[in-house]
Amino acid sequence: MKISEIFYSIQGEGTLAGVPSVFIRTSGCNLRCSWCDTPYTSWAPEGEERSIDSIVQEVERFGASHVVVTGGEPMIAPQIDELTNRLGGHLTIETAGTVDAHVRCDLMSISPKLANSTPHTREGGRWEQQHERLRYQPEILKRLIQLYPYQLKFVMVSPGDLAQVRAIVEEIGAARNRVLLMAEGVDAGVLAERGRWLADISKTEGFRFTPRLHIDLWGNRRGV
């Protein structure tokens, strides 16, 4: 399995924000989000091939009660089923919800990609069609939210994105109190500005607002 990094930090996003967690970041993704904040796992995948044994052993050395498998897109990683069944403690999987895999999971953190993610011009737009075709898979989303405890985390660029969020939530039958809105950005000032109108939307819609604590604390850095 190609691993970009393994590190111990706090969960920065979602319902478990602030919880100390070990992060396993797989390398490789089937999407190419225009604003991707981990391009070293998608646009230019980096990492090393690791055995399941070595990954589990490194995670166990931290002694943490919570583990997060993220990416890239971890659900496309070879042996993801074996890895998740070998890991102990509370396990979160962070996925775009475009791929189905049989995994062990205590929280399926699903981030369906809105139209704001489509790379129309990046690298000459060569990923545009593939990304647009794959980014939203309602049948897979329905299955994931039926099988696992879940949260739906939407990356918002403007208030106009709300219409897409409403449509997805209605189509897949998700509970509104499991929907989280998160501002796109890797700059604390941008996140604060967008967070203010996101907080207002959350109050009106009955959704939850999620910060990006790791950006607030350390900025846009790897391994935090």
Side-chain angles (χ1 to χ4, degrees):
M1 180 181 294
K2 192 172 186 177
I3 300 297
S4 172
E5 55 189 351
I6 298 175
F7 60 94
Y8 186 37
S9 185
I10 62 167
Q11 174 59 268
E13 304 167 356
T15 56
L16 294 177
V19 175
S21 306
V22 179
F23 289 79
I24 305 167
R25 189 180 302 282
T26 65
S27 190
C29 192
N30 59 335
L31 301 180
R32 292 293 185 276
C33 295
S34 59
W35 37 252
C36 179
D37 61 353
T38 57
Y40 50 90
T41 67
S42 59
W43 289 90
E46 302 173 5
E48 62 176 326
E49 294 294 332
R50 299 278 301 268
S51 69
I52 301 299
D53 284 344
S54 73
I55 297 169
V56 172
Q57 289 167 8
E58 183 170 349
V59 169
E60 289 177 344
R61 284 198 290 270
F62 292 104
S65 62
H66 284 64
V67 179
V68 181
V69 181
T70 186
E73 175 51 73
M75 297 285 267
I76 67 171
Q79 298 178 285
I80 188 63
D81 53 344
E82 181 182 352
L83 175 63
T84 58
N85 280 287
R86 290 279 305 278
L87 293 167
H90 182 284
L91 182 61
T92 298
I93 297 178
E94 297 185 337
T95 177
T98 63
V99 180
D100 201 357
H102 296 284
V103 294
R104 182 186 82 79
C105 181
D106 298 294
L107 176 63
M108 190 66 72
S109 181
I110 312 167
S111 182
K113 299 302 181 273
L114 305 178
N116 64 37
S117 67
T118 301
H120 298 292
T121 59
R122 187 165 175 173
E123 292 193 2
R126 68 189 186 97
W127 292 99
E128 177 181 11
Q129 291 186 357
Q130 175 177 311
H131 180 93
E132 189 63 24
R133 174 172 55 87
L134 295 177
R135 69 175 175 83
Y136 178 52
Q137 301 294 326
E139 295 308 312
I140 292 176
L141 292 173
K142 289 177 185 177
R143 179 185 179 277
L144 292 177
I145 69 174
Q146 289 168 0
L147 289 182
Y148 302 100
Y150 71 93
Q151 61 185 16
L152 285 179
K153 185 172 60 181
F154 292 96
V155 177
M156 307 284 282
V157 172
S158 74
D161 293 332
L162 178 60
Q164 294 175 71
V165 174
R166 287 172 173 161
I168 291 172
V169 170
E170 180 176 356
E171 181 173 8
I172 69 175
R176 295 179 76 84
N177 64 357
R178 294 176 182 262
V179 175
L180 297 100
L181 306 182
M182 184 177 76
E184 189 278 323
V186 292
D187 175 82
V190 172
L191 293 177
E193 185 278 323
R194 289 176 173 170
R196 285 187 280 274
W197 53 257
L198 273 178
D200 289 336
I201 289 175
S202 298
K203 290 189 292 184
T204 301
E205 298 289 328
F207 298 149
R208 295 181 64 161
F209 168 80
T210 179
R212 305 194 74 198
L213 291 179
H214 52 299
I215 300 294
D216 293 335
L217 292 172
W218 297 292
N220 185 30
R221 291 170 46 198
R222 292 178 65 163
V224 295

